[in-house]
Amino acid sequence: VSGKIRFFFRTPSTAFKFIESTGAVNDGNWHHVLGVNDQTNLKIYIDGVLNNSNTNGSLGNVGSNDTRIGARWNNTLFMNGNIDEIAIWNSDQSSNISTIYNSGTPSNLSSLSPLAWWRFEEGSGTTAIDSGTGGNNGTLINGVAYSTDVPT
């Protein structure tokens, strides 16, 4: 959204809560982003540093709806950019930010037991293999292409 990063969460009453970065991050560089919903607060960390927070946190709506990454909940407003190494936990990982961020180099997150962890290392096809504990393979849609432009 205007070069900013935004995380949306849906509550059990289907209301939407969100947190957004305070400034644009579309500068052509890779950035590490961590979004946190601790059921009281929403927080967004960029490159290992707390960037913004608010008190819109709430219990998430876990159900049969798909998780969207790089698109709005209704499959509109697709992101124009690269995404690598997505992980999801059911607990606040901000205390592990230095392990996860690792100075911009992708880390092996196995020891942190993410529920889902898509590394996007397949190289082709429309399936993103889940390396986390949940076995939730993802489906890549809207002409997604693999790139060799990845963080190293």
Side-chain angles (χ1 to χ4, degrees):
V1 178
S2 300
K4 297 178 180 182
I5 299 292
R6 183 181 283 180
F7 285 98
F8 272 97
F9 299 90
R10 183 179 258 181
T11 68
S13 65
T14 68
F16 289 99
K17 306 287 186 159
F18 73 92
I19 183 79
E20 172 176 280
S21 63
T22 58
V25 292
N26 59 344
D27 58 9
N29 297 310
W30 281 97
H31 293 280
H32 176 268
V33 180
L34 174 66
V36 174
N37 177 358
D38 68 9
Q39 299 184 20
T40 301
N41 302 291
L42 296 180
K43 303 174 194 172
I44 187 166
Y45 293 78
I46 299 179
D47 297 331
V49 177
L50 180 64
N51 177 272
N52 198 6
S53 65
N54 65 38
T55 56
N56 285 334
S58 65
L59 180 65
N61 187 18
V62 178
S64 61
N65 295 325
D66 295 332
T67 297
R68 305 280 191 258
I69 299 168
R72 196 170 180 184
W73 63 273
N74 60 355
N75 277 338
T76 61
L77 301 176
F78 292 97
M79 178 185 161
N80 182 15
N82 294 340
I83 299 174
D84 193 38
E85 300 279 338
I86 300 284
I88 297 175
W89 289 268
N90 65 351
S91 60
D92 181 349
Q93 293 296 307
S94 58
S95 64
N96 293 317
I97 192 77
S98 61
T99 300
I100 297 167
Y101 175 54
N102 195 28
S103 300
T105 305
S107 297
N108 183 331
L109 302 176
S110 299
S111 66
L112 300 176
S113 303
L115 295 177
W117 177 25
W118 302 283
R119 304 196 72 184
F120 301 112
E121 294 180 336
E122 293 79 9
S124 64
T126 58
T127 300
I129 304 299
D130 181 3
S131 298
T133 61
N136 297 298
N137 290 343
T139 302
L140 308 175
I141 62 169
N142 197 37
V144 171
Y146 286 90
S147 173
T148 57
D149 177 21
V150 296
T152 56

